[in-house]
């Protein structure tokens, strides 16, 4: 910035020492061919680098004004573009509130997705047969295991509880928590990641910089946990219990980070409302 100002000032100063050639200059040039000494001296007088003559003062002033105007036009875009491009509604309150609104929704959506996951786990681990069915199968077998049959008969008093569990399993199966959990988890990872990136972009568009802190760190960690949970799905489908444990742990930790984001994001939300305008 300062170097451009110096160059512009130098141009304005040097413009005072030179004038545009006039029609008399061409006449003088013609006379020089005839070795007209008086005409030659007259042409020398038009060159006045120290601005010692007042003969063409109006021309000097016009040249100086033109150079200064050009320098001002040259320097103006520097300050005008200092804040970056105009993002329109994305810089206003509407675009700024889009991130917190979506993240509040994603927090609730994450809890809902987790509950569906536990329902599917519950359905998968419930027994499929009752004691009465097991007893009938044991008694009708070619080789009857008397000890096993005795145990089944002793367990008959809890048959009603098993029937209730079987009914619960059927209800869970009809609700389809497995497919719902998978669909919501995929949607959560996509929308959540998109708006985790949108938040910092909006902040940079408004302020020209980011503000590292707990809220930003929690958001970055949350995206990493979503990626880890999704990466465990292929192994889970093959029955890997360790992958299931990692999947559940990553999502529980993600819900915890969501709680951290809410507490650290509310002060930021209040500042956004204070310093932005609609739309």
């Amino acid at each position: 910035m300062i170097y451009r100002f110096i160059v512009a000032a130098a141009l304005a100063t040097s413009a005072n020492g030179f004038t545009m050639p006039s029609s008399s200059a061409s006449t003088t040039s013609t006379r020089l061919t005839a070795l007209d000494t008086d005409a030659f001296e007259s042409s020398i007088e038009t060159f006045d680098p120290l601005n010692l003559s007042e003969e063409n003062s109006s021309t000097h002033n016009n040249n100086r004004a033109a150079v200064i105007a050009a320098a001002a036009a040259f320097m103006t875009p520097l300050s005008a573009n200092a804040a970056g491009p105009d993002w329109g509604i994305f810089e206003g309150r509407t675009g700024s509130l889009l991130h917190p609104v979506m993240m509040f929704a994603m927090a609730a959506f994450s809890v809902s997705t987790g509950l569906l996951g536990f329902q599917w786990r519950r359905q998968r681990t419930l027994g499929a047969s009752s004691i009465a069915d097991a007893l009938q199968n044991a008694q009708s077998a070619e080789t009857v295991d008397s000890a096993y049959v005795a145990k089944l008969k002793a367990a008959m008093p809890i048959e009603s509880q098993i029937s209730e569990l079987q009914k619960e399993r059927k209800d869970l199966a009809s609700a389809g928590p497995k497919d719902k959990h998978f669909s919501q988890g995929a949607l959560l990872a996509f929308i959540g990641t998109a708006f985790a990136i949108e938040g910092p972009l909006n902040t940079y568009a408004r302020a020209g910089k980011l503000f590292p802190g707990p809220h930003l760190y929690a958001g970055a960690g949350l995206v990493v946990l979503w990626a880890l949970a999704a990466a465990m799905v292929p192994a889970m489908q093959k029955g890997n219990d360790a992958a299931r444990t990692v999947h559940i742990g990553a999502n529980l930790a993600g819900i915890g980070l969501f709680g951290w984001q809410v507490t650290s994001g509310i002060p930021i939300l209040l500042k956004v409302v204070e310093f932005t305008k609609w739309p």
Side-chain angles (χ1 to χ4, degrees):
M1 175 71 75
I2 186 65
Y3 297 112
R4 294 190 178 187
F5 181 81
I6 293 174
V7 171
L11 289 174
T13 303
S14 62
N16 296 331
F18 295 89
T19 60
M20 296 295 294
S22 62
S23 59
S24 61
S26 61
T27 304
T28 303
S29 177
T30 303
R31 292 178 181 178
L32 284 175
T33 60
L35 299 178
D36 189 343
T37 304
D38 295 334
F40 179 75
E41 294 175 354
S42 175
S43 66
I44 293 299
E45 293 175 358
T46 62
F47 181 76
D48 188 13
L50 297 180
N51 196 25
L52 300 177
S53 175
E54 299 294 335
E55 180 178 359
N56 295 323
S57 60
S58 61
T59 303
H60 297 327
N61 292 335
N62 292 337
N63 291 340
R64 176 182 294 180
V67 173
I68 292 176
F74 178 73
M75 295 168 62
T76 298
L78 295 176
S79 59
N81 293 333
D86 183 10
W87 294 98
I89 194 173
F90 190 71
E91 292 186 34
R93 185 172 295 176
T94 301
S96 300
L97 291 180
L98 188 60
H99 175 78
V101 169
M102 288 303 300
M103 280 302 166
F104 273 117
M106 288 296 100
F109 196 60
S110 182
V111 173
S112 173
T113 304
L115 291 176
L116 286 172
F118 280 112
Q119 288 178 0
W120 160 237
R121 181 180 178 85
R122 175 74 172 169
Q123 174 191 339
R124 185 172 53 83
T125 55
L126 284 176
S129 61
S130 65
I131 295 178
D133 294 336
L135 179 60
Q136 183 179 358
N137 293 333
Q139 290 176 338
S140 60
E142 295 181 357
T143 303
V144 178
D145 188 347
S146 301
Y148 178 62
V149 171
K151 290 180 180 180
L152 291 176
K153 289 181 178 179
M156 285 299 296
I158 61 173
E159 176 68 18
S160 60
Q161 299 179 14
I162 295 176
S163 299
E164 291 178 359
L165 293 176
Q166 286 183 325
K167 182 178 182 302
E168 180 184 356
R169 188 176 189 276
K170 291 179 180 179
D171 292 340
L172 289 172
S174 62
K178 177 183 178 181
D179 294 336
K180 290 181 179 179
H181 176 71
F182 184 85
S183 300
Q184 285 192 198
L187 191 61
L188 174 67
F190 169 68
I191 298 179
T193 301
F195 280 93
I197 296 173
E198 182 270 344
L201 288 179
N202 177 264
T203 300
Y204 189 82
R206 286 186 291 104
K209 61 180 179 178
L210 297 178
F211 302 94
H215 189 73
L216 187 62
Y217 300 147
L222 187 55
V223 173
V224 172
L225 290 174
W226 282 336
L228 176 61
M232 294 296 105
V233 173
M236 291 168 57
Q237 292 175 339
K238 296 179 181 179
N240 190 318
D241 288 333
R244 289 193 179 95
T245 301
V246 173
H247 178 84
I248 294 172
N251 282 295
L252 288 176
I255 293 176
L257 283 181
F258 251 133
W260 188 14
Q261 275 203 310
V262 170
T263 56
S264 61
I266 290 178
I268 301 175
L269 175 61
L270 296 178
K271 289 183 179 180
V272 168
V273 173
E274 180 181 359
F275 293 107
T276 59
K277 297 180 180 180
W278 297 109

